[in-house]
Structure formats: C-alpha cells, structure tokens
Amino acid sequence: METSSFSSMLLFQLLMLLPAFIAASTQPKMSQTYIIHMDHSSKPDHFSDHESWHQHTVNSVSLTCREDKEPFLYSYTHVMHGFSAKLTPCQLTEVEKSPAHVATYKESFGKLFTTHSPDFLGLKRSSGIWPTASYGKDVIIGIIDTGIWPESESFSDKGMSKVPARWKGKCENGTAFIPSLCNKKLIGARSFSKGLQAAGINISTEYDFDSARDFMGHGTHTSSTAAGSYVFGASHFGYAKGSARGIAPSAHVAMYKVLWSSDTFASAATDILAGMDQAISDGVDIMSISLGLAQTPYYEDVIAIASLSAIEKGIVVVCAAGNEGPSTSSIYNGAPWIMTVGAGTIDRSYLATLELGNGLKFEGTSYFPQRVSISNTLLYFGRDDPKKSGCVSLSRTEVMEKVVVCDTTNLTDLYGQMEVVSNAGAYGAIFLTESLFLDPEDYSIPGILLPTRYGNEIMEYAWRNTSIVKSMQFVSTKTGSGPAPEVAYFSSRGPDPISPHILKPDILAPGVDVLAAVRPDVPFMEAGGYDLLTDYALYSGTSMAAPHVAGVAALVKAVHRDWSPAAIRSAIMTTATKGDNKLGTIHDQWNGLTATPLGFGAGHINPNGAMDPGLIYDLDTQDYIQFLCDLGYNETQMGAVIRRSQWGCHNNHTDLNYPSFIAGFNQTTSLSEKQFTRTLTNVGAPGSTYWASLEIPSGMIVSVEPNTIKFASKYQKHKFVLSIKLDKNAPKVNYGYLKWIDDHNHTVSSPIVVTNY
C-alpha cells in the first residue's frame, strides 16, 4: 500500500512537469543582437534610402519566421552600410540568404578605456574623493593661458550646478566670441593684451582672435584637463580612445587669456599681472598657470607677486615648473607660496608593430595617426655611410617608397631625421634610439621607435638586397605599461635657483601624452600629404601637469572649504606616492636611473589620500613675510612683493613651515649639522598619537625631537625639530623620508634632501 501510494505520487509529479518539458523542447533559441553588413549597391530602386531597405529586410524575415517583435535597432551609413538587429536563429538564417548580405558580426561588449589620467590617479565614481567632493561642485578654477574654445564638448554645462552667487566675473565680447557662448561650466572669459600692444608687438590677425578665443589650443587643453565635462569617444586619431573628463568635472571654469600669437608666441608681464588680478577680483578658488617668466628674484617676478596676493585671499595657486629638464636648477615659479608642479609619465603607451621578412617581430612607440598597414615593402639601410645610416642625408633614388632604418644612437635630433626621411620620399621609417623622443605631431610618415638593443639584428637583415618589411601596423594603445610614473625628460629640476633652501618642485603629476580638448578648426599636423584636424589631442609638458594638480586642489577645496592654500598643498604633498606601478622607486625617463625629489618633489599626486591627510603643515601671510625678511630684502624689495608699506620682521631667523626639507652642504663650510623647526596641525581625530619613522640612506644622519606627538584635540598644534648631519663621503644628492604615522592609517610623509656640492 505504501509502495503504491509512492508510485502514484511520482506519476502525478511527472505529469505536472510534462508540459514544461514539451514547451522547452519546442521553443526557439533565444534571440541575439547582430550587426549585418550589407552591399549598399544592392539596394532596390523602389526604396527611397538605405534605412527603409534595411527595415524592410528585417520586417520580411520576421514575417517568414513568424516573429511579431520589432527587432530593428540602427541603420548605418558611415561606419559601414548595414544595420543592427536582435534576431532569432531563424531570422539570421533568412537574412544571410539575401544576395546583398556581406557579413555578420555577433554583438560584443568591451570595457571602458578612459583617457586616462583620472584612472591612473585612482579616481573612482563610487568611492574616494570624487563622490565625497561632488566632483568639485561649486569650485571655480581660473586658468591663465591662451584662451578657450567654448564650443568644445568639454565645456558643456549639462548636469552642472548653477553659477555660485559669489562669482563676479563675466564673459567679454570680442572677435569670434560673444557672451552667450559662456554657460554654467564656462562662467568667465576675458583677455588681456594692452601690455603687449604697448610694447609695439602686433597681435596676428591671421592666426589669433582679439578676444578670449583660443588661437593655439593650449588653454583649451589645460582647461579641459582641470575641469572638463564628460565626453565619450574622444581620441587622438584613434589613440587613447575613451571618455575624456577633467580631474574636477563638476567645477566651473574661467579663462583669462594673456598669451597671444604675434611673430612668436608672446605674453607681457603686465598682461599676466592684469589677468591674475582680474581672476582674484572675480572670485576664483583655484588659479592654474601653465606659463612662466624669467627666473628672477621675487620682487621682479610678477607671477610670484600676484600669487602671494591670491594666497592672501585664500586662492590656491598652481604653476607649471617649466620644460627645461633634465638640467638641474631649471625650475620656474618656485616661490614657496606657489604649488610648483613637475611632469610625469602615465601607464599608457602608443604602439606600432613591425614584422620583418625573416620573421622577426617587434613592438615599438609610434603616434602615426592613420590605420595604415605596410606590407611586403623593401627595406633600406645605408650601412657604409654614417650620414645615410643615421638618416642625416638620404638619396631620394635609393629610398623612394622604401622603409628606411635609421640608427640614431649617436644623434640628438630625431625630429630632423624624420624630416630627412619624409622629404626623401620614403614610405616609412624605423628609428633605433634609446633616449630620444618624437612628439605626436612629428610623425609625418609611418614611423616606429625601437630600442637600440634590437639594432644589430635589424640592421644586419636590412643590409641584404632582398630584405623587406612584411608588416607594419599602427594605432594601438596599451594601458598598464610601465614603470610609471617616471619624471618626464623635459620636466624642470631643482634645486630652485632663487631659493635653493626650499625644495622644488612640490609634486609630480601626469604631464606626458595627456589627451584633452584642443582648437578643432586648424590642422594639428600633416601626415601623408594631408592636413589633419582633431577635437582632442595628446600634449606633453608641465603645462599639462599643472591643471591636474589644480583639479585635485579643487576637489580638496570642495571637501575642506575652510582650509588655507598652504593646508591644501600640505595635504597633497604629504600623501603623495613614492613608487611606480611596478612596485619600484620613481625613475627618470631621460636616463632610466632612479630619480630624486629634485625631479619629483614630495612624490606623485594621490588625490584620494589628500582628502584625509591626518596632519598638515600650515602657513599664513605673516609666515611668508618673515621668509622674505630672512632673504635680506630691503624695504623697496619687500614692498614690491607684499604690496604694503608696513610689516613686521622677527630678528631671529625662523624656518618656513614647509612640508619638505632640503639642506645644502658644501666643502667650503665647516657646518656639519642643520636643524629645521616645523609645526604640525592635527586635522584628524582628537586623541591621535603619531610616531616619527625615518627612512634614511647611508651618508645621512637624521634625528627628530620629539619622536612621538599626541594631539588631544582637532586643530591642535605641536612643534618638532629635525636635525641633519652629513657624512663626508655622501653622494652629491641624497634623500630619505620623515613619516609621521598614527594608528588610524595616516602616514604623513615629507622628503628630506641633502645636496653636497
């Protein structure tokens, strides 16, 4: 009886499941999305356009396969002739029976490749400083530069907050610029040229605009780097393709044009001063300056003078360090109230691939802006003549329509070699080089840069009469490359020539191959005999690094509205990273050797860390006045810098409360020890205790007193003294770190640099 009941129950369950089994066996497979490439010449004449033909094709197969759903998605007329649709296997089969069918591409999904420095800096939508700072909402960044291209998508105000009520600026009317071009993103645009014109330098009416409109793209690039809105699908001729956006994409931008096109690019100090003055008056929060004047004492440096005035108003001033590296003491904008920025590389490379006729394959650097594929092309190498082998001089009859191998090992003008090869009519070039660089706009013909370690095997093969390039392919971007960051070869180095006892630069930030908006209506470059235009381009320079830091300063300002400029700089410096993405120390791009803080300052900028530094080294105007007093400036010189008739100086020398240390020793002095007094302010939790940790190499003896500090309350201050002794056999430049560490995951790090010349 029990057995019979069990069998009846099992039969009942099977009968209940049977309809589901039957349905599952008879239901067609799930539909999928496909891209269907069609022969556009096969369109019947009775269709008015290709889209109507594509839609009819899909509707017809739907009827044949008895499908009621509307699967049609898009019709394509430019990327290809065809359409996309979500099709069942039956529908796909019917489409592919059509004589007009060319190819089928199954739908694929790719991950987002950004443009790319925000990712390299660790900025994320869901965590860290971006969401905490609301992406820089309500912060105003003033850019002192060459103007702006207001129509760029990077300055769209979609999703922007309203203009802050405190804003006093405006958009001026001028040549090809009307006030209505401004919006909630671009809230101010002014130009300053009276000083230039008074000096008898005429502004070029052929290339420039008598307005805030950008004549060369530089100001547009820096502005969009600092605070550009999201732009999808931006790229440099296919390189670095992804979503472009600024470091503080919700911040507002104001442009102050002070650099103009004349016989050369020119900017008068009076105009720079006027632009900075107006920016202060208008109410900017951050000032980003990617230009510099001659290295002069502060009382002759209008950027330093105007910057101190801005600092007094609570404005953070960020300046490019200059592009005169790798020479030492080449720093510009090194006043201690300015945040001075060096340029570093990022973990993204632009590549071409090369395969020779003997099967050897190589991957090298290239920015050639076209997806050409060179195949089965003769190879040329002038081995017996140094001028030919180095591509200093080439015979057109010998290299015409060939790929030329250029051994540039002992040469210093790679751009010149590219010009020689191009003018000789070569089809492409292979440059064997170790430390030379070409800018993206220099690739007038297909060219690839390869390390000299590949030289022997390439040159030996190229010398044969039958040698060929089997394949050269371009427009490839790789992220995650490294080591990165490295100090860019061109980035100016310390010690600062005006104040060598202040470590400069302060910080390293992305400044190599930064993709951002540019002027779109003039050729960026010439390649293959064609002028090429672009909306976005790769630029390099400390000009590109400075707006990265300006953007980070805007984010920190948005989180900590009451912090002083010195506090924001301290937070950025003391939380900087000291290593690269390969877990090594930061190196120098120029020679591949380990870099020093004379190139990278406190380290590479770390936006998320700067949001919560734990401790800060703060400063106010009186501290800077005392600093100038200690330089021995007379009353006239002091008055020129601080713009007042009365001030107070202490008789005793006092250290500037800077977040870094540099001590200079030399063989002509008997001084063997230097001391620095600093004051820490707690911006973390009350009751925090910090312990001093010293990371010091041989050749330096460093001590800290006290080495433990307890802060009973927030904003409490404590002093400490750091002492440095030098070993006679120490290297010319040596460095270590002082780190204040608590039990709340704060590490407050300062570089200690010793020079021994």
Side-chain angles (χ1 to χ4, degrees):
M1 182 68 177
E2 291 179 359
T3 304
S4 176
S5 298
F6 175 77
S7 300
S8 299
M9 180 63 71
L10 180 60
L11 179 61
F12 175 77
Q13 291 174 341
L14 290 172
L15 290 171
M16 291 296 292
L17 291 172
L18 186 59
F21 290 147
I22 295 172
S25 64
T26 58
Q27 189 169 1
K29 294 180 181 179
M30 297 293 292
S31 59
Q32 295 188 55
T33 301
Y34 298 91
I35 300 170
I36 307 299
H37 189 177
M38 303 284 278
D39 179 3
H40 70 96
S41 64
S42 298
K43 179 180 75 67
D45 293 338
H46 61 271
F47 289 106
S48 60
D49 54 36
H50 283 85
E51 182 172 357
S52 61
W53 174 45
H54 297 157
Q55 286 183 326
H56 174 78
T57 301
V58 174
N59 291 337
S60 297
V61 299
S62 297
L63 289 172
T64 302
C65 296
R66 299 180 181 179
E67 293 290 336
D68 297 326
K69 295 181 180 179
E70 174 57 59
F72 190 85
L73 299 177
Y74 297 102
S75 178
Y76 305 110
T77 57
H78 298 292
V79 293
M80 69 165 63
H81 288 280
F83 61 89
S84 59
K86 194 170 185 179
L87 306 174
T88 65
C90 174
Q91 291 170 314
L92 178 62
T93 299
E94 292 299 315
V95 167
E96 291 179 335
K97 290 179 181 178
S98 168
H101 174 264
V102 176
T104 298
Y105 308 97
K106 187 177 179 180
E107 177 75 292
S108 62
F109 299 90
K111 61 180 180 179
L112 182 66
F113 292 112
T114 68
T115 61
H116 154 79
S117 51
D119 281 345
F120 185 56
L121 297 178
L123 293 168
K124 300 180 183 298
R125 289 192 179 193
S126 57
S127 62
I129 196 171
W130 252 2
T132 304
S134 299
Y135 303 90
K137 180 181 177 182
D138 294 336
V139 178
I140 303 168
I141 303 177
I143 310 289
I144 314 296
D145 217 298
T146 65
I148 197 163
W149 201 263
E151 295 88 352
S152 170
E153 287 186 76
S154 288
F155 308 118
S156 166
D157 65 353
K158 182 179 180 180
M160 284 292 298
S161 61
K162 63 181 181 180
V163 179
R166 67 183 186 280
W167 177 243
K168 300 176 183 178
K170 67 177 184 177
C171 286
E172 294 178 340
N173 196 36
T175 305
F177 202 108
I178 55 177
S180 61
L181 290 171
C182 288
N183 54 27
K184 290 184 290 185
K185 165 61 75 174
L186 177 61
I187 63 174
R190 300 175 185 256
S191 63
F192 304 86
S193 61
K194 292 180 181 179
L196 202 66
Q197 296 182 53
I201 301 174
N202 295 321
I203 296 171
S204 171
T205 56
E206 181 179 359
Y207 299 107
D208 209 337
F209 308 91
D210 190 11
S211 69
R213 184 171 289 277
D214 194 357
F215 68 94
M216 65 175 293
H218 188 277
T220 301
H221 199 281
T222 55
S223 301
S224 57
T225 298
S229 300
Y230 280 78
V231 179
F232 299 100
S235 76
H236 174 97
F237 302 105
Y239 292 100
K241 189 173 184 179
S243 299
R245 74 275 202 217
I247 300 301
S250 291
H252 306 279
V253 171
M255 170 54 63
Y256 300 87
K257 179 177 176 179
V258 299
L259 198 149
W260 302 80
S261 174
S262 57
D263 293 335
T264 58
F265 300 134
S267 181
T270 50
D271 296 330
I272 297 173
L273 192 63
M276 295 178 69
D277 183 72
Q278 188 63 60
I280 295 169
S281 176
D282 288 347
V284 303
D285 299 301
I286 314 292
M287 198 181 296
S288 182
I289 306 172
S290 289
L291 54 87
L293 299 171
Q295 298 165 319
T296 60
Y298 303 130
Y299 52 81
E300 296 177 353
D301 184 345
V302 299
I303 292 179
I305 293 168
S307 296
L308 185 55
S309 178
I311 295 295
E312 289 186 67
K313 304 295 192 301
I315 300 168
V316 180
V317 180
V318 181
C319 289
N323 297 338
E324 295 191 5
S327 301
T328 59
S329 297
S330 53
I331 290 286
Y332 288 79
N333 300 317
W337 44 87
I338 292 172
M339 190 148 28
T340 312
V341 186
T345 63
I346 61 176
D347 65 335
R348 183 173 59 185
S349 52
Y350 308 100
L351 306 170
T353 57
L354 167 70
E355 183 178 358
L356 301 179
N358 60 358
L360 288 174
K361 297 180 180 180
F362 305 93
E363 186 178 73
T365 299
S366 183
Y367 300 80
F368 186 71
Q370 298 176 16
R371 288 189 180 276
V372 299
S373 180
I374 298 174
S375 60
N376 299 320
T377 303
L378 289 174
L379 197 58
Y380 172 85
F381 177 59
R383 185 170 66 179
D384 292 338
D385 186 339
K387 289 187 176 181
K388 292 181 178 179
S389 64
C391 298
V392 176
S393 176
L394 292 172
S395 167
R396 190 175 184 85
T397 57
E398 289 182 311
V399 305
M400 186 72 174
E401 296 185 357
K402 297 177 182 177
V403 175
V404 179
V405 177
C406 300
D407 180 11
T408 64
T409 305
N410 299 315
L411 302 173
T412 59
D413 183 16
L414 194 54
Y415 171 76
Q417 274 75 67
M418 173 66 85
E419 287 288 289
V420 170
V421 175
S422 178
N423 293 336
Y427 201 69
I430 301 166
F431 296 96
L432 301 171
T433 181
E434 203 58 50
S435 59
L436 299 179
F437 307 89
L438 281 173
D439 292 325
E441 61 267 29
D442 295 337
Y443 285 79
S444 54
I445 62 170
I448 182 173
L449 274 59
L450 291 172
T452 54
R453 64 179 179 272
Y454 301 135
N456 289 336
E457 52 189 343
I458 291 176
M459 290 186 289
E460 286 178 9
Y461 174 71
W463 181 240
R464 303 175 188 176
N465 292 331
T466 58
S467 62
I468 64 167
V469 169
K470 185 176 181 180
S471 172
M472 281 180 76
Q473 295 183 332
F474 298 85
V475 191
S476 175
T477 302
K478 180 187 291 186
T479 56
S481 57
E486 292 182 313
V487 177
Y489 70 93
F490 55 78
S491 187
S492 290
R493 275 50 163 196
D496 178 42
I498 307 304
S499 295
H501 54 293
I502 301 295
L503 179 62
K504 291 286 180 172
D506 293 308
I507 198 76
L508 195 71
V512 176
D513 291 338
V514 175
L515 184 72
V518 293
R519 179 179 176 179
D521 69 329
V522 294
F524 174 81
M525 62 179 296
E526 179 183 330
Y530 295 95
D531 289 333
L532 303 181
L533 288 75
T534 182
D535 294 321
Y536 289 82
L538 296 168
Y539 281 6
S540 296
T542 55
S543 285
M544 285 61 253
H548 278 86
V549 177
V552 174
L555 297 175
V556 177
K557 182 77 172 178
V559 176
H560 302 286
R561 297 282 180 177
D562 59 339
W563 278 14
S564 69
I568 292 174
R569 176 181 57 201
S570 175
I572 289 173
M573 289 176 64
T574 59
T575 58
T577 57
K578 311 300 185 291
D580 59 32
N581 64 343
K582 304 301 180 182
L583 305 181
T585 57
I586 297 175
H587 281 67
D588 193 318
Q589 187 190 34
W590 176 251
N591 54 24
L593 302 177
T594 300
T596 75
L598 296 179
F600 59 73
H604 193 266
I605 194 165
N606 172 23
N608 293 319
M611 178 174 61
D612 180 24
L615 303 174
I616 56 171
Y617 295 78
D618 209 356
L619 288 160
D620 60 22
T621 303
Q622 182 56 44
D623 293 314
Y624 295 123
I625 291 175
Q626 184 61 44
F627 166 81
L628 295 169
C629 294
D630 293 337
L631 291 180
Y633 284 5
N634 60 36
E635 289 190 8
T636 301
Q637 295 165 344
M638 287 288 295
V641 183
I642 64 177
R643 307 157 320 286
R644 62 187 71 181
S645 58
Q646 294 184 341
W647 60 87
C649 290
H650 302 299
N651 293 327
N652 297 326
H653 173 81
T654 57
D655 290 326
L656 193 65
N657 197 41
Y658 218 71
S660 58
F661 305 85
I662 180 168
F665 295 87
N666 60 68
Q667 298 176 353
T668 62
T669 179
S670 59
L671 186 64
S672 60
E673 180 178 1
K674 292 194 176 184
Q675 291 188 337
F676 302 85
T677 301
R678 296 287 193 268
T679 301
L680 294 168
T681 302
N682 179 34
V683 292
S688 298
T689 300
Y690 284 83
W691 296 268
S693 173
L694 290 166
E695 298 178 3
I696 303 300
S698 59
M700 294 167 58
I701 301 171
V702 181
S703 62
V704 179
E705 180 61 37
N707 59 13
T708 302
I709 300 177
K710 184 173 183 178
F711 295 90
S713 61
K714 192 172 184 178
Y715 304 120
Q716 185 180 3
K717 298 178 183 293
H718 272 296
K719 289 187 177 182
F720 70 91
V721 177
L722 182 139
S723 301
I724 302 176
K725 292 182 179 179
L726 183 67
D727 189 307
K728 290 182 179 179
N729 298 319
K732 289 185 177 180
V733 179
N734 210 5
Y735 72 94
Y737 293 96
L738 165 64
K739 297 182 178 180
W740 290 100
I741 302 172
D742 72 352
D743 53 7
H744 298 290
N745 295 319
H746 291 115
T747 298
V748 186
S749 179
S750 295
I752 305 169
V753 181
V754 171
T755 60
N756 180 30
Y757 295 114

PDB file of all heavy atoms in Angstrom, residues 9 30 43 80 319 342 356 393 398 472 507 516 583 606 629 631 657 689 691 699 705 750:
ATOM      1  N   MET A   9       2.103   9.106  -6.504  1.00  0.00           N
ATOM      2  CA  MET A   9       2.577  10.481  -6.285  1.00  0.00           C
ATOM      3  C   MET A   9       3.654  10.856  -7.301  1.00  0.00           C
ATOM      4  O   MET A   9       3.659  11.956  -7.856  1.00  0.00           O
ATOM      5  CB  MET A   9       3.126  10.605  -4.866  1.00  0.00           C
ATOM      6  CG  MET A   9       3.637  12.004  -4.529  1.00  0.00           C
ATOM      7  SD  MET A   9       2.325  13.261  -4.588  1.00  0.00           S
ATOM      8  CE  MET A   9       1.401  12.785  -3.132  1.00  0.00           C
ATOM      9  N   MET A  30      16.985  31.568 -27.937  1.00  0.00           N
ATOM     10  CA  MET A  30      16.892  32.992 -27.629  1.00  0.00           C
ATOM     11  C   MET A  30      17.505  33.822 -28.752  1.00  0.00           C
ATOM     12  O   MET A  30      18.475  33.440 -29.379  1.00  0.00           O
ATOM     13  CB  MET A  30      17.609  33.280 -26.313  1.00  0.00           C
ATOM     14  CG  MET A  30      16.995  32.578 -25.108  1.00  0.00           C
ATOM     15  SD  MET A  30      15.346  33.220 -24.720  1.00  0.00           S
ATOM     16  CE  MET A  30      15.765  34.865 -24.167  1.00  0.00           C
ATOM     17  N   LYS A  43      20.815  47.795 -53.096  1.00  0.00           N
ATOM     18  CA  LYS A  43      19.529  48.362 -52.682  1.00  0.00           C
ATOM     19  C   LYS A  43      18.602  48.506 -53.888  1.00  0.00           C
ATOM     20  O   LYS A  43      18.950  49.143 -54.882  1.00  0.00           O
ATOM     21  CB  LYS A  43      19.733  49.736 -52.032  1.00  0.00           C
ATOM     22  CG  LYS A  43      18.418  50.401 -51.599  1.00  0.00           C
ATOM     23  CD  LYS A  43      18.678  51.748 -50.969  1.00  0.00           C
ATOM     24  CE  LYS A  43      19.031  52.798 -52.018  1.00  0.00           C
ATOM     25  NZ  LYS A  43      17.893  53.104 -52.920  1.00  0.00           N
ATOM     26  N   MET A  80      29.755  51.649 -41.734  1.00  0.00           N
ATOM     27  CA  MET A  80      29.568  50.625 -42.756  1.00  0.00           C
ATOM     28  C   MET A  80      28.159  50.789 -43.305  1.00  0.00           C
ATOM     29  O   MET A  80      27.354  51.529 -42.748  1.00  0.00           O
ATOM     30  CB  MET A  80      29.741  49.208 -42.182  1.00  0.00           C
ATOM     31  CG  MET A  80      28.628  48.796 -41.231  1.00  0.00           C
ATOM     32  SD  MET A  80      28.572  47.020 -40.902  1.00  0.00           S
ATOM     33  CE  MET A  80      30.146  46.797 -40.105  1.00  0.00           C
ATOM     34  N   CYS A 319      51.252  76.242 -10.416  1.00  0.00           N
ATOM     35  CA  CYS A 319      52.038  76.664 -11.580  1.00  0.00           C
ATOM     36  C   CYS A 319      52.882  75.513 -12.114  1.00  0.00           C
ATOM     37  O   CYS A 319      53.365  74.660 -11.358  1.00  0.00           O
ATOM     38  CB  CYS A 319      52.976  77.816 -11.216  1.00  0.00           C
ATOM     39  SG  CYS A 319      52.171  79.393 -10.918  1.00  0.00           S
ATOM     40  N   GLY A 342      55.871  69.372 -11.348  1.00  0.00           N
ATOM     41  CA  GLY A 342      56.660  68.697 -12.364  1.00  0.00           C
ATOM     42  C   GLY A 342      55.810  67.710 -13.137  1.00  0.00           C
ATOM     43  O   GLY A 342      54.705  67.345 -12.724  1.00  0.00           O
ATOM     44  N   LEU A 356      59.529  41.713 -39.831  1.00  0.00           N
ATOM     45  CA  LEU A 356      60.442  41.701 -40.961  1.00  0.00           C
ATOM     46  C   LEU A 356      60.254  40.439 -41.783  1.00  0.00           C
ATOM     47  O   LEU A 356      59.618  39.470 -41.341  1.00  0.00           O
ATOM     48  CB  LEU A 356      61.882  41.809 -40.465  1.00  0.00           C
ATOM     49  CG  LEU A 356      62.218  43.061 -39.649  1.00  0.00           C
ATOM     50  CD1 LEU A 356      63.675  43.023 -39.199  1.00  0.00           C
ATOM     51  CD2 LEU A 356      61.938  44.318 -40.446  1.00  0.00           C
ATOM     52  N   SER A 393      71.353  62.408 -44.133  1.00  0.00           N
ATOM     53  CA  SER A 393      71.252  62.756 -45.546  1.00  0.00           C
ATOM     54  C   SER A 393      70.923  61.481 -46.311  1.00  0.00           C
ATOM     55  O   SER A 393      71.570  60.451 -46.126  1.00  0.00           O
ATOM     56  CB  SER A 393      72.573  63.360 -46.050  1.00  0.00           C
ATOM     57  OG  SER A 393      72.509  63.619 -47.435  1.00  0.00           O
ATOM     58  N   GLU A 398      67.494  56.202 -53.828  1.00  0.00           N
ATOM     59  CA  GLU A 398      67.758  54.975 -53.086  1.00  0.00           C
ATOM     60  C   GLU A 398      66.628  54.593 -52.131  1.00  0.00           C
ATOM     61  O   GLU A 398      66.394  53.407 -51.883  1.00  0.00           O
ATOM     62  CB  GLU A 398      69.065  55.110 -52.285  1.00  0.00           C
ATOM     63  CG  GLU A 398      70.312  55.119 -53.142  1.00  0.00           C
ATOM     64  CD  GLU A 398      71.573  55.210 -52.303  1.00  0.00           C
ATOM     65  OE1 GLU A 398      71.634  56.097 -51.411  1.00  0.00           O
ATOM     66  OE2 GLU A 398      72.488  54.402 -52.518  1.00  0.00           O
ATOM     67  N   MET A 472      53.891  46.386 -41.105  1.00  0.00           N
ATOM     68  CA  MET A 472      53.929  47.453 -40.096  1.00  0.00           C
ATOM     69  C   MET A 472      52.490  47.915 -39.880  1.00  0.00           C
ATOM     70  O   MET A 472      51.799  48.272 -40.836  1.00  0.00           O
ATOM     71  CB  MET A 472      54.788  48.641 -40.547  1.00  0.00           C
ATOM     72  CG  MET A 472      56.281  48.450 -40.413  1.00  0.00           C
ATOM     73  SD  MET A 472      57.209  49.908 -40.963  1.00  0.00           S
ATOM     74  CE  MET A 472      56.961  51.023 -39.587  1.00  0.00           C
ATOM     75  N   ILE A 507      55.484  68.680  -6.320  1.00  0.00           N
ATOM     76  CA  ILE A 507      54.717  67.471  -6.602  1.00  0.00           C
ATOM     77  C   ILE A 507      54.888  67.094  -8.065  1.00  0.00           C
ATOM     78  O   ILE A 507      55.206  67.952  -8.897  1.00  0.00           O
ATOM     79  CB  ILE A 507      53.209  67.693  -6.265  1.00  0.00           C
ATOM     80  CG1 ILE A 507      52.457  66.371  -6.109  1.00  0.00           C
ATOM     81  CG2 ILE A 507      52.564  68.608  -7.287  1.00  0.00           C
ATOM     82  CD1 ILE A 507      52.729  65.673  -4.811  1.00  0.00           C
ATOM     83  N   ALA A 516      43.310  65.830 -24.182  1.00  0.00           N
ATOM     84  CA  ALA A 516      42.321  66.828 -23.770  1.00  0.00           C
ATOM     85  C   ALA A 516      41.908  67.627 -25.000  1.00  0.00           C
ATOM     86  O   ALA A 516      42.449  67.449 -26.099  1.00  0.00           O
ATOM     87  CB  ALA A 516      42.883  67.742 -22.677  1.00  0.00           C
ATOM     88  N   LEU A 583      56.024  48.564  -8.516  1.00  0.00           N
ATOM     89  CA  LEU A 583      56.498  48.396  -7.131  1.00  0.00           C
ATOM     90  C   LEU A 583      57.958  48.785  -6.961  1.00  0.00           C
ATOM     91  O   LEU A 583      58.649  48.282  -6.076  1.00  0.00           O
ATOM     92  CB  LEU A 583      56.274  46.951  -6.653  1.00  0.00           C
ATOM     93  CG  LEU A 583      54.823  46.430  -6.756  1.00  0.00           C
ATOM     94  CD1 LEU A 583      54.736  45.004  -6.237  1.00  0.00           C
ATOM     95  CD2 LEU A 583      53.865  47.334  -6.006  1.00  0.00           C
ATOM     96  N   ASN A 606      48.366  61.967  -5.264  1.00  0.00           N
ATOM     97  CA  ASN A 606      47.456  60.893  -4.851  1.00  0.00           C
ATOM     98  C   ASN A 606      46.167  61.536  -4.346  1.00  0.00           C
ATOM     99  O   ASN A 606      46.022  61.819  -3.159  1.00  0.00           O
ATOM    100  CB  ASN A 606      48.121  60.050  -3.759  1.00  0.00           C
ATOM    101  CG  ASN A 606      47.187  59.046  -3.131  1.00  0.00           C
ATOM    102  OD1 ASN A 606      46.195  58.644  -3.725  1.00  0.00           O
ATOM    103  ND2 ASN A 606      47.504  58.626  -1.914  1.00  0.00           N
ATOM    104  N   CYS A 629      61.751  88.468   4.720  1.00  0.00           N
ATOM    105  CA  CYS A 629      62.674  89.195   5.603  1.00  0.00           C
ATOM    106  C   CYS A 629      63.992  88.442   5.742  1.00  0.00           C
ATOM    107  O   CYS A 629      65.083  89.037   5.689  1.00  0.00           O
ATOM    108  CB  CYS A 629      62.055  89.384   6.984  1.00  0.00           C
ATOM    109  SG  CYS A 629      60.598  90.446   7.039  1.00  0.00           S
ATOM    110  N   LEU A 631      65.376  86.578   3.681  1.00  0.00           N
ATOM    111  CA  LEU A 631      66.173  86.640   2.454  1.00  0.00           C
ATOM    112  C   LEU A 631      67.027  87.896   2.393  1.00  0.00           C
ATOM    113  O   LEU A 631      67.888  88.024   1.521  1.00  0.00           O
ATOM    114  CB  LEU A 631      65.255  86.593   1.227  1.00  0.00           C
ATOM    115  CG  LEU A 631      64.522  85.280   0.948  1.00  0.00           C
ATOM    116  CD1 LEU A 631      63.649  85.417  -0.298  1.00  0.00           C
ATOM    117  CD2 LEU A 631      65.499  84.122   0.771  1.00  0.00           C
ATOM    118  N   ASN A 657      57.391  76.909   7.527  1.00  0.00           N
ATOM    119  CA  ASN A 657      56.761  75.650   7.920  1.00  0.00           C
ATOM    120  C   ASN A 657      56.347  74.852   6.680  1.00  0.00           C
ATOM    121  O   ASN A 657      55.169  74.655   6.398  1.00  0.00           O
ATOM    122  CB  ASN A 657      55.538  75.936   8.803  1.00  0.00           C
ATOM    123  CG  ASN A 657      55.088  74.716   9.569  1.00  0.00           C
ATOM    124  OD1 ASN A 657      55.912  73.962  10.077  1.00  0.00           O
ATOM    125  ND2 ASN A 657      53.787  74.520   9.664  1.00  0.00           N
ATOM    126  N   THR A 689      47.718  59.877  18.226  1.00  0.00           N
ATOM    127  CA  THR A 689      49.143  59.854  18.546  1.00  0.00           C
ATOM    128  C   THR A 689      49.927  59.461  17.305  1.00  0.00           C
ATOM    129  O   THR A 689      49.585  58.492  16.625  1.00  0.00           O
ATOM    130  CB  THR A 689      49.439  58.859  19.676  1.00  0.00           C
ATOM    131  OG1 THR A 689      48.720  59.244  20.852  1.00  0.00           O
ATOM    132  CG2 THR A 689      50.926  58.819  19.991  1.00  0.00           C
ATOM    133  N   TRP A 691      53.830  58.698  15.592  1.00  0.00           N
ATOM    134  CA  TRP A 691      55.203  58.300  15.829  1.00  0.00           C
ATOM    135  C   TRP A 691      56.038  58.641  14.599  1.00  0.00           C
ATOM    136  O   TRP A 691      55.607  58.423  13.459  1.00  0.00           O
ATOM    137  CB  TRP A 691      55.294  56.798  16.089  1.00  0.00           C
ATOM    138  CG  TRP A 691      54.581  56.359  17.335  1.00  0.00           C
ATOM    139  CD1 TRP A 691      55.103  56.245  18.586  1.00  0.00           C
ATOM    140  CD2 TRP A 691      53.205  55.997  17.441  1.00  0.00           C
ATOM    141  NE1 TRP A 691      54.137  55.818  19.474  1.00  0.00           N
ATOM    142  CE2 TRP A 691      52.967  55.660  18.805  1.00  0.00           C
ATOM    143  CE3 TRP A 691      52.140  55.920  16.537  1.00  0.00           C
ATOM    144  CZ2 TRP A 691      51.723  55.259  19.266  1.00  0.00           C
ATOM    145  CZ3 TRP A 691      50.896  55.523  16.992  1.00  0.00           C
ATOM    146  CH2 TRP A 691      50.691  55.197  18.347  1.00  0.00           C
ATOM    147  N   GLY A 699      75.043  57.778   4.597  1.00  0.00           N
ATOM    148  CA  GLY A 699      75.567  59.089   4.232  1.00  0.00           C
ATOM    149  C   GLY A 699      74.828  60.230   4.886  1.00  0.00           C
ATOM    150  O   GLY A 699      75.259  61.382   4.826  1.00  0.00           O
ATOM    151  N   GLU A 705      63.060  65.324  17.205  1.00  0.00           N
ATOM    152  CA  GLU A 705      62.754  65.536  18.621  1.00  0.00           C
ATOM    153  C   GLU A 705      61.541  66.464  18.761  1.00  0.00           C
ATOM    154  O   GLU A 705      61.577  67.587  18.251  1.00  0.00           O
ATOM    155  CB  GLU A 705      63.964  66.151  19.335  1.00  0.00           C
ATOM    156  CG  GLU A 705      63.768  66.405  20.810  1.00  0.00           C
ATOM    157  CD  GLU A 705      63.484  65.143  21.606  1.00  0.00           C
ATOM    158  OE1 GLU A 705      64.076  64.095  21.287  1.00  0.00           O
ATOM    159  OE2 GLU A 705      62.657  65.229  22.540  1.00  0.00           O
ATOM    160  N   SER A 750      57.245  63.372   4.392  1.00  0.00           N
ATOM    161  CA  SER A 750      57.984  64.528   3.864  1.00  0.00           C
ATOM    162  C   SER A 750      59.353  64.083   3.378  1.00  0.00           C
ATOM    163  O   SER A 750      60.066  63.368   4.094  1.00  0.00           O
ATOM    164  CB  SER A 750      58.165  65.601   4.942  1.00  0.00           C
ATOM    165  OG  SER A 750      56.936  66.142   5.339  1.00  0.00           O
TER     166      SER A 750
END
